[in-house]
Amino acid sequence: MSYTLEGKTGPWEIVVGLEVHAQVISNSKLFSGAATAFGAEPNSQVSFIDAGFPGMLPTINEVCIAQAVRTGLGLKAEINLWSRFDRKNYFYADLPQGYQISQFAHPIVGKGEIEVSLADGSTKMIGITRLHLEQDAGKSIHDQHPSKSFIDLNRSGVALMEIVSEPDMRSPEEAGAYLTKLRQILRYLGTCDGNMDEGSMRADVNVSVRKAGEGFRTRCEVKNVNSIRFVMQAVEAEALRQIEVWEAGGTVDQETRLFDTNRGVTRSMRSKEDAHDYRYFPDPDLPPLVLEQSWVDALKASLPELPDERRARYLALGLTPYDVHVLTLEKETAVFFETVAKGRDAKLAANWVTGDFFAALNRLKRDISDPPVTAEHLGELLDLLSDNTISGKLAKDVFEIMIETGKSPLVLVEERGLKQVTDTGAIEKVIAEVMAANEGKVAEYRSGKDKLFGFFVGQTMKASGGKANPAMVNELLKKMLA
Amino acid sequence: MSVDTAAIRRIAKLARIHVEEEALPGLAAEFNGILQWIEQLQQVDTSGVEPMAGGGATALRWRADEVTDGAQAERVLANAPEREGEYFSVPKVVE
Amino acid sequence: MTRLTDFTLAQARDALKARSISARELTQAYLDGIAALNPRINAYITVTPELALAQADASDAKLAAGQGGSLEGIPLGIKDLFCTEGVRTTAASRILGEFTPPYESTVSGNLKRDGGIFLGKLNLDEFAMGSSNATSAFGPVENPWSRANDPAKRLVPGGSSGGSAAAIAARLALGTTATDTGGSIRQPAAFCGVAGIKPTYGRCSRFGVVAFASSLDQAGPIARDVTDCALMLNSMAGFDPKDSTSVDIAVPDFAAAVARGVKGLRIGIPREFRMDGMPAEIEALWQQGIAWLKAEGASIVDISLPHTKYALPTYYIVAPAEASSNLARYDGVRFGAREKGADLVELYEKTRAAGFGAEVRRRIMIGTYVLSAGYYDAYYLKAQQVRALIKRDFDLAWEKCDAILTPATPSAAFGLDEKHDDPVAMYLNDVFTVTANLAGIPGMAVPAGLDANGLPLALQVLGKPFDEETVFAVSGAVERAAGFKATPQVMA
């Protein structure tokens, strides 16, 4: 059953397309040698090129080109060996050149697609129209002074990838799933950090509504939405607004809107009232961007494993779909898991990572990039478990001590004498003592009271300080009590 | 093609150049003179001709991804007509 | 005794090397000339005597130690379109205010590296947009030449590099930088009886040069003769990684090429340059030039450049379009002059209305129009296609000839009060020069004679891309044959 919104006149379908601006991970800017780090002092990462000074000229950063191509390959998209930069002309206080250098007519990446997973377990393909490289603008700060806006050009000239989807999404959930998956792919590739709260990833959301079976109606663009949750809310809010307009007999005007996150509604952008005429033309300062097929092939060969491939591989290892999902969501988690699982039982590793380890992360409010127990130590713990050096019960205790001390389980087991006793003679000796101390119970057992077996196991374990190997205790007790 | 005063007003707005209302007719006349002269290009058969964007290097050269610039806020701000601390400042913009 | 300002650049260089003159006395002689004549000629917007003399002393120290670059101690003027670190740069516009670049253009930096001394910044048409130097916010430049039959009439030096050409003619600099977007080196050089070359697009870096039309702008020298231009260009040219359109190709010894001669060269004469209403004097000079080259052993071939007549309209779409975008950065926010406005839009509109002169405003608006929605294909795209055809005309011509000889301008210098009513009439000044910019090829203006009123006239030599050597060889031959020795009425 497809998603619809109920209006006075019946159900409405919604149509969503996203334009995502993803900041490229690079040391320096797209066309200048100024740094890209987040959070620097105002105007401290600005070259005269970024500030649009007279006579300044752009030169392109090779890493930004490679990152765009890697992203294109990750989106299974066409790579255009010939692309070109155009100027998009408009005036704004944080646009120093009076134009943005972008790729309008000939983007570096063409059509691709993304498979997204939905809550009901189904999947859907969302088309990618194109990906192009462009410069970011600076930042205007409006709330520091009653009558002035302040301009910081640190962001000016930072490389962005604009990733445009087809209008293939039909619900807030699909929009959220698309953005989640896109973010996951970018982070796997290492081409964008996906930090939406720092603005490294922003979405412009195109929304329209229609009755079943209709063609597209007029769409509105909700600009600069900066979280996945807000994108989903903005889709619904804007769709409801448009339904109300249509049902009141009005028409939706194509316009740019903002999402008010406090009130949960969209509103028209006043400063963008002028009809825009961007007067695109090829940037005469920049010859065409020409790629060698062999260079693209080399990038393709060195591409890291992507989420879909990783999922398939984990499923093949016999992990549960739930474990696969949570282990592959973030690349760092998957890398952690694989370090733990390397040369070990994958299922056991998955149980520990998604179980005790995730619980500890939550409890301690720690992040996978700052784990309370290293993957190597957790792996060692699994080894101790597998070779019967410690019991499952003891392993949980050791794990907690590892969190407290940060020490390797090998060291802890040694230091604290936690090694499981697997010496037959030693266990037999303990059992003999337990039997000697409980002669009456031995007699009862031997006369048929089988239920007492558990009592002897408990006593033996207790007497061994929990270190006796439970399986061996079972086996030897059966023999000695017989 | 010819332009009227409304078109000149729109172009001036796009170019962010203030033009007094009484200057519009004169500008429109000048524009039409130039445009009429330019019009002769329509005589040229350009079917199938690849447009030429510029000369010089035929493909972009790529720069290494190194931080070689920036860290010079004072030099960047030194020519500013108006500034507030380390920021450029302009009349408040309402979005 | 020879006066210090009589030396050509090549002669001064030798005299400095030989220590028969000092850089300080040479520089002082030029500064004295500027002090005496600049109030009238107005070739300089900014003069920097202290900086120049300090540089001269440093040059003398180097020369005394037997060191120094190829231009050590040579007093130069820099067109005020080149950014010069710590020295106000205006582009002859009010909008730049007191803008003082914290950086140096690559070309002026190269001249400094080679020991050149900067006397100051030279006047030009505002943002290099003009053919008369009348659009400068710092007042017009006066041509040091005047008509024999009307000596009181003030003439234009041509433009946009009018300050550069007038400074050379009046001996207010020994060499100058200039830029050429549609003829801005060659037309003023022709009007002022001096030599100037626009090199191949991509030969000189555009980094640090205030942009007018990026795909057409190219820096080059204006100097007293062909050899001086070669010496200047040898220093100015060279690959620059900071300009993505700069071409990575070796810079040959241009000065050596000047004496090469034209024996065996095929000189093309484009029949389409014979325009209706062209003055007989210009036609006669052209025929004279052909005869000189033939006498020097060149063969003359008739060639066709069929799209020549479309070059100017093409230029007046492409150049304003690029300019409308290039000049968007002058918005009163980060540098330059600012007019008050109630809001940001009003600030922009008032700043740009007050800061730009009439011709610049006109070209920005034309450029905005031809790029705007609905007109792009009819104007801009069409112009870029015609431009491709103009370039193809030249590509085909090079199969038949090694260089091309044409007149440099359709007339001699005109009066400061003439041709200003009709923009199109003014634009026609560039009719012979503009094709070289559209095709990206080198072109040089060489003084070759005087008209009936005693004003200089010049021939133009065009060459293949990156074959400035042949352009210098042909220009050198024309110069030797012409034996042009006339000097202007006003001269230091």
Side-chain angles (χ1 to χ4, degrees):
Chain A
M1 183 60 200
S2 61
Y3 178 93
T4 53
L5 285 172
E6 203 60 35
K8 276 181 272 179
T9 58
W12 292 80
E13 193 175 89
I14 67 175
V15 177
V16 182
L18 291 181
E19 291 170 21
V20 173
H21 290 89
Q23 181 179 328
V24 173
I25 294 177
S26 63
N27 296 319
S28 61
K29 294 182 181 179
L30 182 54
F31 294 117
S32 89
T36 57
F38 179 78
E41 290 297 303
N43 289 307
S44 66
Q45 294 180 165
V46 181
S47 83
F48 295 115
I49 298 163
D50 311 321
F53 269 52
M56 291 297 101
L57 296 172
T59 55
I60 198 162
N61 182 335
E62 62 181 6
V63 165
C64 297
I65 300 168
Q67 294 286 56
V69 170
R70 287 155 53 88
T71 305
L73 293 169
L75 298 175
K76 315 256 184 290
E78 304 158 19
I79 305 300
N80 295 323
L81 298 182
W82 191 97
S83 66
R84 190 184 71 194
F85 288 92
D86 299 302
R87 292 185 183 178
K88 178 182 182 179
N89 295 283
Y90 66 97
F91 286 88
Y92 200 65
D94 56 24
L95 188 73
Q97 297 165 128
Y99 55 84
Q100 178 193 33
I101 304 177
S102 182
Q103 295 188 300
F104 176 64
H106 299 277
I108 186 166
V109 175
K111 284 195 182 302
E113 60 185 14
I114 286 184
E115 187 182 61
V116 300
S117 315
L118 300 168
D120 65 3
S122 66
T123 60
K124 179 171 178 175
M125 297 305 288
I126 306 292
I128 302 289
T129 313
R130 55 186 280 163
L131 174 154
H132 67 252
L133 276 168
E134 63 183 26
Q135 303 175 294
D136 203 350
K139 197 169 139 196
S140 295
I141 300 155
H142 305 302
D143 57 2
Q144 300 282 307
H145 191 282
S147 61
K148 287 173 183 171
S149 292
F150 293 172
I151 312 297
D152 173 12
L153 299 179
N154 281 349
R155 291 192 75 101
S156 172
V158 168
L160 299 179
M161 295 177 283
E162 180 172 325
I163 302 160
V164 182
S165 84
E166 295 288 325
D168 285 349
M169 290 155 272
R170 296 287 177 272
S171 67
E173 189 209 350
E174 288 182 15
Y178 167 79
L179 206 51
T180 304
K181 186 64 178 284
L182 177 60
R183 183 172 175 275
Q184 186 186 28
I185 292 171
L186 296 175
R187 288 170 59 88
Y188 263 67
L189 290 166
T191 58
C192 170
D193 67 22
N195 284 332
M196 297 192 78
D197 45 353
E198 288 181 3
S200 326
M201 205 171 144
R202 287 110 75 186
D204 297 342
V205 189
N206 286 296
V207 181
S208 64
V209 296
R210 65 178 178 188
K211 291 285 189 175
E214 278 186 356
F216 295 136
R217 295 197 186 198
T218 312
R219 64 189 161 87
C220 288
E221 184 180 21
V222 185
K223 278 271 187 206
N224 268 329
V225 188
N226 64 358
S227 87
I228 294 173
R229 190 164 56 92
F230 289 154
V231 165
M232 295 168 69
Q233 289 174 5
V235 167
E236 184 166 356
E238 177 56 18
L240 287 170
R241 183 191 73 85
Q242 291 180 14
I243 290 169
E244 213 166 285
V245 171
W246 289 121
E247 291 192 334
T251 46
V252 170
D253 295 325
Q254 184 160 351
E255 62 173 349
T256 304
R257 301 179 68 84
L258 280 179
F259 182 58
D260 183 331
T261 54
N262 294 319
R263 295 169 49 220
V265 296
T266 68
R267 61 176 169 84
S268 193
M269 278 178 86
R270 265 197 283 170
S271 64
K272 304 270 179 183
E273 266 170 16
D274 293 339
H276 270 158
D277 186 342
Y278 290 124
R279 290 160 283 136
Y280 286 101
F281 75 106
D283 190 328
D285 289 332
L286 294 162
L289 175 53
V290 180
L291 311 178
E292 296 280 344
Q293 184 61 50
S294 57
W295 180 79
V296 175
D297 292 343
L299 279 185
K300 192 171 189 175
S302 66
L303 225 50
E305 188 179 41
L306 288 162
D308 287 347
E309 298 157 16
R310 188 162 251 154
R311 291 170 64 87
R313 190 161 57 84
Y314 285 9
L315 284 169
L317 290 172
L319 306 192
T320 66
Y322 173 79
D323 281 357
V324 171
H325 175 71
V326 296
L327 289 174
T328 57
L329 210 50
E330 295 286 345
K331 186 182 185 180
E332 288 79 0
T333 310
V335 169
F336 186 95
F337 162 70
E338 292 194 15
T339 309
V340 175
K342 191 167 187 191
R344 302 185 180 103
D345 177 1
K347 283 198 236 177
L348 179 67
N351 285 340
W352 270 86
V353 172
T354 61
D356 293 78
F357 177 76
F358 275 7
L361 277 188
N362 281 335
R363 178 160 42 98
L364 301 168
K365 297 190 168 55
R366 298 271 284 264
D367 193 73
I368 187 74
S369 59
D370 174 33
V373 168
T374 67
E376 289 75 12
H377 286 174
L378 185 52
E380 288 166 8
L381 185 67
L382 299 195
D383 290 341
L384 293 173
L385 201 53
S386 303
D387 68 9
N388 286 327
T389 307
I390 55 173
S391 66
K393 160 88 178 59
L394 203 54
K396 289 184 187 286
D397 297 340
V398 172
F399 182 74
E400 292 304 322
I401 306 170
M402 285 161 66
I403 292 173
E404 279 164 37
T405 62
K407 286 185 180 174
S408 152
L410 300 174
V411 173
L412 287 173
V413 163
E414 203 59 49
E415 266 181 11
R416 309 201 174 192
L418 299 174
K419 229 174 216 170
Q420 184 164 260
V421 179
T422 52
D423 173 355
T424 310
I427 296 174
E428 279 173 352
K429 192 167 162 248
V430 175
I431 291 174
E433 282 164 18
V434 167
M435 286 170 70
N438 297 283
E439 280 177 356
K441 294 241 162 59
V442 173
E444 282 178 51
Y445 177 82
R446 284 182 174 152
S447 67
K449 208 167 177 186
D450 287 357
K451 280 180 185 165
L452 277 171
F453 190 75
F455 166 80
F456 288 109
V457 172
Q459 290 298 306
T460 307
M461 290 306 289
K462 192 176 171 188
S464 75
K467 289 184 283 180
N469 179 301
M472 290 179 74
V473 168
N474 267 330
E475 192 186 326
L476 293 171
L477 262 176
K478 270 186 191 148
K479 219 188 319 175
M480 289 171 72
L481 285 170
Chain B
M1 282 176 244
S2 79
V3 296
D4 54 14
T5 52
I8 297 288
R9 198 183 292 117
R10 183 182 65 83
I11 294 159
K13 188 84 195 168
L14 262 182
R16 293 289 186 272
I17 295 175
H18 175 75
V19 177
E20 296 293 342
E21 202 62 24
E22 54 268 30
L24 291 173
L27 269 174
E30 250 176 36
F31 246 68
N32 284 322
I34 295 169
L35 292 177
Q36 202 179 9
W37 175 64
I38 287 173
E39 206 63 26
Q40 56 179 303
L41 286 192
Q42 303 311 323
Q43 302 162 8
V44 186
D45 179 8
T46 52
S47 44
V49 177
E50 202 51 45
M52 174 181 172
T58 49
L60 270 178
R61 278 185 303 275
W62 303 359
R63 188 187 93 234
D65 180 30
E66 290 160 2
V67 176
T68 55
D69 207 341
Q72 48 171 2
E74 206 41 54
R75 270 153 49 93
V76 166
L77 288 155
N79 278 288
E82 194 182 294
R83 61 185 277 193
E84 290 283 336
E86 301 298 288
Y87 294 101
F88 297 101
S89 74
V90 295
K92 201 176 190 78
V93 178
V94 184
E95 285 199 328
Chain C
M1 185 197 141
T2 325
R3 295 178 318 144
L4 283 166
T5 52
D6 284 343
F7 286 119
T8 64
L9 192 154
Q11 292 163 342
R13 177 199 57 182
D14 295 342
L16 284 162
K17 275 238 165 69
R19 307 298 297 139
S20 57
I21 60 170
S22 74
R24 189 178 178 91
E25 61 184 331
L26 185 65
T27 302
Q28 190 62 57
Y30 275 95
L31 289 171
D32 292 346
I34 293 168
L37 296 182
N38 199 55
R40 172 170 175 182
I41 303 285
N42 200 28
Y44 283 87
I45 291 173
T46 305
V47 186
T48 53
E50 294 84 8
L51 286 173
L53 289 170
Q55 278 183 291
D57 289 343
S59 285
D60 279 329
K62 280 190 187 160
L63 288 162
Q67 299 164 348
S70 60
L71 297 172
E72 198 66 53
I74 301 293
L76 306 174
I78 305 298
K79 186 179 184 179
D80 209 10
L81 203 61
F82 293 79
C83 289
T84 41
E85 188 170 358
V87 175
R88 183 181 68 158
T89 299
T90 69
S93 182
R94 273 184 299 277
I95 207 158
L96 271 154
E98 290 300 310
F99 175 65
T100 304
Y103 45 85
E104 186 82 29
S105 80
T106 297
V107 163
S108 57
N110 288 347
L111 291 169
K112 248 184 197 169
R113 171 202 66 202
D114 291 340
I117 289 166
F118 293 178
L119 300 166
K121 306 296 293 286
L122 293 161
N123 208 342
L124 64 150
D125 278 299
E126 185 178 4
F127 281 103
M129 296 180 192
S131 308
S132 66
N133 217 303
T135 70
S136 169
F138 295 83
V141 175
E142 185 182 336
N143 194 324
W145 295 79
S146 48
R147 291 176 185 153
N149 64 350
D150 188 5
K153 184 156 192 94
R154 297 171 69 204
L155 303 179
V156 302
S160 68
S161 308
S164 303
I168 294 295
R171 304 200 170 171
L172 306 183
L174 203 38
T176 61
T177 66
T179 60
D180 191 317
T181 305
S184 280
I185 287 176
R186 292 158 288 159
Q187 185 252 17
F191 277 14
C192 292
V194 295
I197 181 169
K198 178 203 96 73
T200 311
Y201 185 86
R203 178 66 96 177
C204 287
S205 170
R206 294 184 299 112
F207 182 84
V209 185
V210 174
F212 161 15
S214 309
S215 76
L216 302 162
D217 295 345
Q218 185 58 205
I222 292 179
R224 203 145 335 145
D225 60 24
V226 175
T227 300
D228 286 4
C229 281
L231 293 170
M232 286 287 289
L233 187 58
N234 265 119
S235 174
M236 293 164 69
F239 170 62
D240 182 6
K242 288 190 279 194
D243 174 358
S244 295
T245 62
S246 169
V247 176
D248 193 357
I249 185 170
V251 178
D253 184 347
F254 296 128
V258 175
R260 201 186 266 180
V262 294
K263 207 173 169 66
L265 286 182
R266 299 166 302 164
I267 306 297
I269 307 299
R271 64 183 83 110
E272 291 81 6
F273 275 54
R274 199 158 281 119
M275 304 265 172
D276 289 341
M278 188 160 86
E281 289 176 310
I282 303 286
E283 172 67 32
L285 184 78
W286 194 7
Q287 291 308 321
Q288 179 64 69
I290 291 168
W292 286 332
L293 292 176
K294 212 187 255 176
E296 291 295 318
S299 57
I300 304 300
V301 288
D302 177 55
I303 60 164
S304 175
L305 300 169
H307 295 91
T308 298
K309 68 178 278 204
Y310 302 110
L312 269 177
T314 298
Y315 174 83
Y316 276 95
I317 291 170
V318 174
E322 293 182 10
S324 71
S325 176
N326 283 336
L327 270 60
R329 65 188 57 197
Y330 304 100
D331 59 6
V333 174
R334 297 161 315 285
F335 49 79
R338 170 190 286 194
E339 295 292 317
K340 287 210 183 309
D343 58 26
L344 186 63
V345 171
E346 195 179 302
L347 180 152
Y348 286 151
E349 292 181 346
K350 287 189 167 176
T351 296
R352 291 164 60 80
F356 293 133
E359 181 63 24
V360 173
R361 292 200 303 270
R362 172 159 51 226
R363 294 203 199 183
I364 289 175
M365 287 176 62
I366 287 276
T368 302
Y369 179 73
V370 299
L371 288 176
S372 65
Y375 301 103
Y376 180 88
D377 287 0
Y379 289 117
Y380 189 76
L381 192 68
K382 183 82 182 177
Q384 296 286 46
Q385 288 176 313
V386 177
R387 186 176 178 184
L389 293 175
I390 289 167
K391 180 172 184 297
R392 196 166 72 189
D393 286 352
F394 279 105
D395 291 343
L396 292 172
W398 301 131
E399 291 171 8
K400 295 171 75 179
C401 64
D402 305 303
I404 294 170
L405 185 76
T406 77
T409 57
S411 74
F414 49 89
L416 265 174
D417 53 357
E418 294 164 12
K419 299 200 187 191
H420 292 294
D421 301 337
D422 179 5
V424 174
M426 185 65 91
Y427 297 166
L428 291 174
N429 265 290
D430 295 328
V431 64
F432 295 136
T433 47
V434 74
T435 51
N437 300 83
L438 291 168
I441 60 172
M444 183 159 206
V446 196
L450 298 175
D451 74 356
N453 281 321
L455 294 181
L457 295 173
L459 290 169
Q460 173 178 241
V461 180
L462 301 174
K464 298 176 194 171
F466 294 101
D467 188 19
E468 286 88 354
E469 285 175 283
T470 298
V471 173
F472 277 117
V474 176
S475 298
V478 170
E479 182 178 66
R480 283 189 298 275
F484 186 86
K485 292 280 182 268
T487 54
Q489 287 74 3
V490 180
M491 195 172 83

